[in-house]
């Protein structure tokens, strides 16, 4: 059968994507989905049509100004044929993927690895592999690890055992699909499957859910454990911390052949890789209280840096506590989990990610361990879910189920987005794939993975894209909400003037149009605001020559915001009272104050004022130490998110001490504006 010949991995994925789309899908949407050009998308559709014709099925048609629409019967036929496709598809690895393949292959090594082996795995030339080895060597050097080669042993990695295993788990998760799909060979596949079955039995016995894909990574790693000479060692104290857990007892039961050190190491992965919090029996007492304290520090740091307050702060602290229990445990024992959503989170919620990264620095100082970017991204999702949350309608009709294997932070973020996109949703419930039942009774199911035979499924990314949002809106418009009511009324009128076939096309196009309108409203409501250059008006910039005490300085710095209606006088008084109570906590650098208060204190609009004091203003700490402010920024906002971009840009500008001096040397309002603009250009 020649069904594979013209259908490569990307074509396969595009076809799967189209099968789970309602209505028309444009070529631009396909290009955005796969991060390719429109030209490449057209080329892939042509290759898909060649394949469809070989299967004696009609090709995909691209309707002008609309896109591609696949009927239900054709979808069913295509799905049936796709299941017949062998998993090993043609694939060209990127340089980064080749680097990870080389590192993981050497760390897994059940046999000697030479350049020819890497050439076979990656399907590239010797010269390319030599370059890839150099890149891999540079990468692991960041972990104080080094490649070595000799004729007898081939390539191996020298260095700390915990770090070696850490980078395996850090990188393998992002290339695991190549092994699962048969694109890369799995040595001793039967053994991997046997280990995986045991791990899933443990997951079921514990009645928990593990992070997507981690059990497979563990299974592949332990399938070659017998060929290694190095084994993990633990102190008696570390051992006692682990051996009384349910995870250790189950690991002993299912993996009795492992040495004690490896049993303990396996247990650490079982403890540290949960979607939920780590098991209570290992986090009781002081440790649990300590994690809760760290969560409070992180949440309060975020609140202070982001100038927001959380209505559900206790609930957020509990969510962060549950997350940090597993994360801190992983840090301590060098267990790495790559965040597959990192790039998406940075792209979609870049400003929120930056603020979270700033808050994480306070956590780093407390635990004396660096927080990886991937971890900051997960925490950003927690903050994002709570920063946007508010009251949701109670008497509505839509019931939506979110099935998400990527953890509570992702599911929470999706849920909050749905509540904003679909205000009439009565309930948006979250469950794991393990808890899913076909007779769920919900109007629609939103999932980050395929659910076979789910008629009301909407497939989305873990971080929603605009295409995902449109898909959700279009599905929701089939139910009785404001958007569908408009569509219904209009099509009822149009019935008098159209044939039924034209009316159906008209209704679909109108639904698409309304979806885009609602999405634009959503963007305006939920974007993280304009930047400082757009918001800081000339009338809000001052250069003060005369000396002032700190209270007069705050009044002076705030006056222009009172005059333009951004704040009330009560907002200034609130900032002064907070400074009296807590001291000069609003200093963001040695000489810059970012003054702000709660929205309820008298904030009306988004506003920023900047005042330069040629005579530095003296503030006094609670232990009577002096702090000198050369610049006072006053910030106000009418909601919890609109000022986030301004905050990010303030951090970008003032993280360099020399920028404070550059601004202080300005002699006119225009010069201040020009300098800030150029600083942001340099920063980006």
């Amino acid at each position: 059968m020649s069904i594979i010949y013209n259908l490569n991995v990307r074509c396969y994925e595009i076809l799967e994507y189209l099968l789970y789309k309602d209505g028309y899908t444009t070529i631009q949407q396909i290009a955005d989905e796969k991060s390719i050009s429109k030209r490449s998308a057209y080329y892939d559709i042509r290759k898909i049509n060649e394949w469809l014709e070989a299967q004696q099925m009609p090709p995909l048609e691209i309707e002008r100004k609309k896109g591609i629409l696949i009927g239900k019967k054709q979808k069913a036929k295509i799905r049936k044929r796709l299941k017949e496709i062998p998993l090993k598809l043609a694939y060209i690895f990127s340089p980064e993927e080749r680097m990870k393949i080389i590192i993981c292959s050497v760390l897994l090594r059940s046999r000697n690895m030479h350049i020819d082996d890497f050439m076979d795995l990656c399907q590239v030339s010797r010269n390319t592999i030599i370059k890839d080895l150099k890149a891999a060597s540079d990468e692991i050097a960041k972990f104080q690890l080094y490649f070595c080669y000799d004729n007898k042993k081939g390539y191996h990695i020298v260095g700390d055992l915990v770090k070696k295993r850490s980078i395996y788990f850090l990188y393998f998760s992002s290339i695991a699909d190549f092994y699962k799909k048969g694109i890369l060979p799995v040595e001793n596949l039967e053994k991997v499957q046997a280990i995986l079955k045991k791990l899933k039995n443990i997951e079921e016995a514990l009645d928990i859910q593990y992070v997507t894909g981690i059990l497979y990574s563990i299974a592949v790693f332990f399938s070659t454990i017998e060929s290694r000479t190095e084994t993990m060692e633990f102190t008696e104290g570390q051992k006692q911390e682990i051996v009384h857990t349910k995870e250790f007892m189950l690991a002993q039961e299912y993996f009795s052949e492992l040495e004690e050190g490896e049993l303990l190491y396996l247990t650490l992965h079982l403890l540290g890789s949960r979607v939920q919090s780590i098991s209570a029996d290992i986090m009781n007492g002081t440790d649990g209280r300590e994690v809760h304290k760290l969560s409070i520090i992180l949440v309060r740091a975020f609140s202070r840096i982001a100038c927001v307050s959380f209505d559900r702060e206790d609930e957020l602290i509990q969510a962060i506590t549950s997350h940090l229990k597993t994360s801190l445990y992983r840090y301590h024992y060098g267990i790495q989990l790559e965040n597959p959503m990192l790039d998406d989170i940075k792209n979609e919620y870049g400003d929120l990610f930056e603020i979270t990264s700033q808050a994480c620095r306070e956590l780093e100082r407390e635990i004396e361990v660096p927080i990886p970017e991937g971890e900051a991204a997960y925490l950003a999702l927690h903050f994002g879910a709570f920063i946007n949350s508010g009251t949701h309608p109670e008497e509505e009709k839509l019931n939506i189920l979110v099935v998400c294997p990527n953890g509570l932070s992702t599911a929470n973020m999706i849920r909050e987005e749905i509540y904003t996109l679909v205000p009439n949703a009565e309930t948006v419930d979250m469950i794991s794939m393990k808890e899913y039942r076909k007779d769920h009774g919900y109007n629609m199911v939103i999932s980050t993975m395929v659910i076979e035979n789910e008629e009301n499924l909407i497939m989305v990314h873990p971080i929603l894209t605009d295409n995902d949002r449109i898909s959700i809106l279009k599905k929701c418009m089939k139910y009785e909400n404001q958007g569908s009511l408009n569509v219904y009324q209009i099509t009822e009128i149009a019935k008098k003037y159209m044939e039924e076939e034209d009316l159906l096309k008209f209704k679909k196009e109108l639904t698409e149009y309304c979806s885009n309108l609602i999405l634009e409203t959503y963007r305006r409501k939920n974007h993280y605001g304009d930047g400082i250059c757009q918001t800081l008006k000339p009338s809000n910039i001052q250069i003060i020559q005369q000396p002032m005490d700190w209270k007069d300085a705050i009044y002076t710095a705030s006056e222009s915001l009172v005059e333009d209606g951004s704040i009330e006088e009560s907002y200034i008084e609130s900032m002064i009272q907070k400074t009296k109570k807590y001291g000069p906590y609003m200093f963001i650098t040695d000489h810059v104050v970012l003054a702000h208060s709660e929205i309820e204190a008298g904030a009306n609009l988004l506003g920023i004022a900047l005042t330069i004091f040629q005579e530095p203003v003296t503030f006094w700490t609670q232990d009577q130490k002096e702090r000198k402010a050369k610049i006072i920024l006053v910030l106000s906002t009418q909601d919890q998110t609109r000022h986030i971009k301004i905050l990010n840009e303030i951090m970008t500008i003032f993280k360099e001490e020399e920028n404070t001096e550059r601004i202080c040397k300005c002699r006119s309002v225009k010069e201040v504006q020009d300098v800030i603009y150029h600083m942001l250009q340099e920063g980006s």
Side-chain angles (χ1 to χ4, degrees):
M1 188 179 281
S2 61
I3 61 173
I4 285 297
Y5 187 72
N6 289 318
L7 197 63
N8 62 21
V9 169
R10 195 168 72 198
C11 291
Y12 182 96
E13 291 173 348
I14 287 173
L15 197 47
E16 273 203 325
Y17 169 70
L18 291 171
L19 291 176
Y20 287 95
K21 296 292 286 184
D22 279 337
Y24 286 94
T25 304
T26 66
I27 293 296
Q28 186 61 58
Q29 286 175 320
I30 294 171
D32 292 343
E33 169 71 15
K34 303 311 297 177
S35 300
I36 57 178
S37 66
K38 284 179 71 175
R39 182 178 177 181
S40 295
Y42 275 114
Y43 176 79
D44 287 340
I45 294 299
R46 195 178 78 201
K47 301 298 285 183
I48 289 169
N49 282 338
E50 288 175 5
W51 178 80
L52 287 170
E53 287 169 8
Q55 312 313 308
Q56 299 180 336
M57 286 190 280
L60 305 179
E61 292 185 7
I62 305 172
E63 292 188 43
R64 193 166 180 269
K65 294 186 177 180
K66 290 183 179 180
I68 296 168
L69 178 66
I70 308 178
K72 279 189 176 180
K73 288 183 179 178
Q74 190 179 8
K75 281 183 178 181
K77 288 180 182 178
I78 293 172
R79 284 195 183 105
K80 185 179 178 182
R81 284 300 176 91
L82 283 180
K83 287 181 181 178
E84 298 171 5
I85 295 180
L87 291 174
K88 187 168 184 177
L89 304 171
Y91 194 89
I92 299 172
F93 299 111
S94 69
E96 184 178 0
E97 287 166 348
R98 294 198 303 269
M99 178 194 75
K100 291 178 179 180
I101 290 167
I102 289 170
I103 292 171
C104 290
S105 298
V106 172
L107 289 169
L108 284 171
R109 42 179 284 135
S110 58
R111 59 183 178 82
N112 295 343
M113 300 294 294
H114 300 272
I115 283 183
D116 287 347
D117 296 305
F118 301 137
M119 289 168 61
D120 288 341
L121 285 171
C122 300
Q123 291 296 296
V124 292
S125 68
R126 179 176 293 271
N127 285 341
T128 300
I129 284 296
I130 290 170
K131 289 178 185 175
D132 292 337
L133 278 165
K134 174 67 168 62
S137 181
D138 292 342
E139 182 65 18
I140 66 171
K142 298 173 186 175
F143 298 85
Q144 293 80 49
L145 299 172
Y146 308 96
F147 268 111
C148 288
Y149 177 81
D150 63 50
N151 290 329
K152 290 183 179 179
K153 292 184 179 179
Y155 281 94
H156 56 285
I157 294 175
V158 176
D160 180 74
L161 181 58
V162 170
K163 288 180 180 176
K164 284 196 282 188
R165 295 188 175 191
S166 290
I167 62 168
Y168 163 78
F169 284 101
L170 181 63
Y171 295 141
F172 187 81
S173 61
S174 63
I175 58 172
D177 271 354
F178 300 142
Y179 294 90
K180 291 177 184 177
K181 292 177 178 178
I183 297 168
L184 289 171
V186 179
E187 294 185 32
N188 205 336
L189 182 59
E190 287 183 6
K191 190 169 185 180
V192 171
Q193 293 300 330
I195 293 172
L196 189 57
K197 185 177 180 181
K198 290 180 182 179
L199 292 171
K200 287 182 176 176
N201 287 340
I202 292 175
E203 181 180 37
E204 191 173 335
L206 291 168
D207 193 24
I208 56 150
Q209 183 187 1
Y210 283 107
V211 174
T212 305
I214 189 60
L215 295 186
Y216 183 78
S217 298
I218 294 171
V220 173
F221 180 83
F222 277 91
S223 70
T224 61
I225 200 78
E226 293 171 358
S227 62
R228 304 209 184 93
T229 55
E230 295 178 294
T231 57
M232 293 291 292
E233 294 181 2
F234 294 86
T235 65
E236 193 60 33
Q238 290 171 330
K239 178 181 171 182
Q240 290 306 313
E241 194 178 24
I242 301 166
V243 293
H244 299 298
T245 64
K246 292 177 184 176
E247 282 80 356
F248 181 76
M249 294 172 191
L250 286 166
Q252 268 188 318
E253 179 184 340
Y254 283 97
F255 295 94
S256 56
E257 72 280 5
L258 290 179
E259 294 181 14
E260 185 183 60
E262 299 300 353
L263 264 178
L264 292 167
Y265 183 66
L266 173 59
T267 304
L268 289 177
H269 279 280
L270 297 175
L271 286 164
S273 303
R274 291 181 171 204
V275 168
Q276 305 94 332
S277 63
I278 208 163
S279 58
D281 49 2
I282 199 166
M283 292 305 298
N284 280 337
T286 307
D287 286 341
R289 289 193 296 273
E290 183 64 23
V291 175
H292 188 258
K293 176 187 165 189
L294 291 172
S295 301
I296 293 172
I297 289 170
L298 182 61
V299 170
R300 300 280 163 81
F302 184 96
S303 294
R304 188 178 67 256
I305 294 166
C307 305
V308 299
S309 57
F310 293 101
D311 294 333
R312 296 152 56 205
E313 186 182 79
D314 289 343
E315 195 179 333
L316 172 59
I317 289 169
Q318 189 55 48
I320 298 286
T321 299
S322 295
H323 183 87
L324 285 184
K325 281 178 181 178
T326 56
S327 299
L328 293 171
Y329 211 72
R330 289 198 300 268
Y331 300 159
H332 183 66
Y333 290 105
I335 297 171
Q336 290 278 359
L337 293 181
E338 185 173 6
N339 185 343
M341 300 179 291
L342 176 60
D343 290 339
D344 289 336
I345 292 169
K346 290 170 78 172
N347 290 334
E348 192 73 14
Y349 304 111
D351 293 315
L352 187 64
F353 172 78
E354 291 300 330
I355 296 291
T356 306
S357 297
Q358 291 280 340
C360 283
R361 288 176 190 167
E362 292 208 18
L363 187 60
E364 287 177 346
R365 285 194 286 272
E366 290 289 328
I367 64 175
E368 298 182 344
V369 173
I371 307 294
E373 274 195 332
E375 187 64 28
Y378 277 128
L379 291 167
L381 290 184
H382 280 293
F383 286 121
F386 282 82
I387 203 172
N388 287 318
S389 63
T391 57
H392 300 126
E394 294 179 4
E395 299 180 8
E396 301 293 347
K397 300 178 182 178
L398 258 176
N399 295 303
I400 300 171
L401 183 64
V402 178
V403 182
C404 187
N406 292 290
L408 287 176
S409 59
T410 308
N412 265 320
M413 197 69 164
I414 292 174
R415 180 174 68 173
E416 291 304 327
E417 284 218 47
I418 292 168
Y419 270 130
T420 309
L421 278 169
V422 191
N424 68 311
E426 181 180 5
T427 55
V428 182
D429 292 331
M430 305 179 301
I431 62 168
S432 67
M433 189 64 219
K434 184 179 177 182
E435 298 168 298
Y436 170 81
R437 298 290 180 270
K438 190 177 180 182
D439 57 345
H440 48 71
Y442 289 83
N443 301 107
M444 69 185 69
V445 177
I446 296 172
S447 173
T448 56
M449 62 188 296
V450 174
I451 302 175
E452 293 289 342
N453 303 318
E454 173 54 62
E455 292 181 3
N456 296 310
L457 177 67
I458 304 174
M459 281 280 293
V460 298
H461 296 81
I463 304 302
L464 295 187
T465 65
D466 279 351
N467 288 343
D468 293 332
R469 295 176 185 120
I470 288 173
S471 296
I472 293 168
L473 286 167
K474 284 164 71 176
K475 194 85 169 180
C476 290
M477 282 184 172
K478 294 181 180 178
Y479 298 91
E480 192 177 351
N481 60 42
Q482 188 61 43
S484 65
L485 185 62
N486 289 338
V487 171
Y488 173 77
Q489 288 173 336
I490 294 167
T491 50
E492 281 297 299
I493 295 169
K495 265 185 186 179
K496 302 172 188 177
Y497 309 101
M498 288 184 184
E499 296 293 332
E500 190 171 340
E501 186 179 343
D502 291 333
L503 185 69
L504 186 63
K505 291 179 180 178
F506 171 74
K507 187 176 180 180
K508 284 181 178 177
E509 195 165 331
L510 184 60
T511 301
E512 181 89 33
Y513 174 74
C514 289
S515 298
N516 281 298
L517 278 183
I518 296 172
L519 184 60
E520 283 306 310
T521 304
Y522 164 85
R523 285 195 189 111
R524 289 194 295 272
K525 185 175 179 181
N526 287 282
H527 80 307
Y528 290 124
D530 293 325
I532 193 169
C533 291
Q534 293 81 17
T535 310
L536 182 60
K537 298 177 285 191
S539 58
N540 296 134
I541 300 172
Q542 302 178 80
I543 301 171
I544 304 297
Q545 304 290 340
Q546 66 269 31
M548 289 186 177
D549 70 21
W550 68 268
K551 284 184 282 189
D552 288 339
I554 289 178
Y555 263 107
T556 300
S558 307
E559 279 174 344
S560 64
L561 293 178
V562 175
E563 289 169 7
D564 68 19
S566 297
I567 61 172
E568 305 290 337
E569 291 274 355
S570 58
Y571 194 82
I572 305 175
E573 190 56 39
S574 175
M575 291 188 290
I576 289 172
Q577 291 305 317
K578 285 165 75 79
T579 304
K580 284 181 179 178
K581 184 175 181 179
Y582 301 112
Y585 74 99
M586 297 181 189
F587 274 82
I588 58 171
T589 71
D590 288 344
H591 301 293
V592 179
V593 166
L594 177 60
H596 61 276
S597 194
E598 292 81 12
I599 297 169
E600 299 77 17
N604 300 323
L605 300 168
L606 178 67
I608 181 79
L610 183 152
T611 305
I612 300 166
F613 292 91
Q614 300 293 356
E615 293 286 337
V617 178
T618 302
F619 288 79
W620 298 90
T621 64
Q622 290 180 318
D623 56 359
Q624 293 304 301
K625 291 181 180 176
E626 286 187 2
R627 295 204 69 175
K628 301 278 188 179
K630 297 179 180 180
I631 294 174
I632 296 181
L633 297 152
V634 181
L635 179 66
S636 69
T637 182
Q638 75 269 43
D639 61 31
Q640 297 278 51
T641 61
R642 209 168 295 263
H643 62 298
I644 297 293
K645 187 173 180 65
I646 291 176
L647 275 174
N648 254 333
E649 293 185 345
I650 287 171
M651 299 299 177
T652 299
I653 291 167
F654 292 107
K655 69 182 178 183
E656 304 292 341
E657 181 62 31
E658 64 186 41
N659 285 347
T660 302
E661 297 306 319
R662 282 173 66 186
I663 292 173
C664 286
K665 288 176 182 176
C666 293
R667 292 295 176 261
S668 70
V669 169
K670 179 69 167 61
E671 192 179 352
V672 172
Q673 288 180 303
D674 289 344
V675 166
I676 287 174
Y677 174 79
H678 288 302
M679 284 175 179
L680 290 173
Q681 293 298 108
E682 292 163 9
S684 62

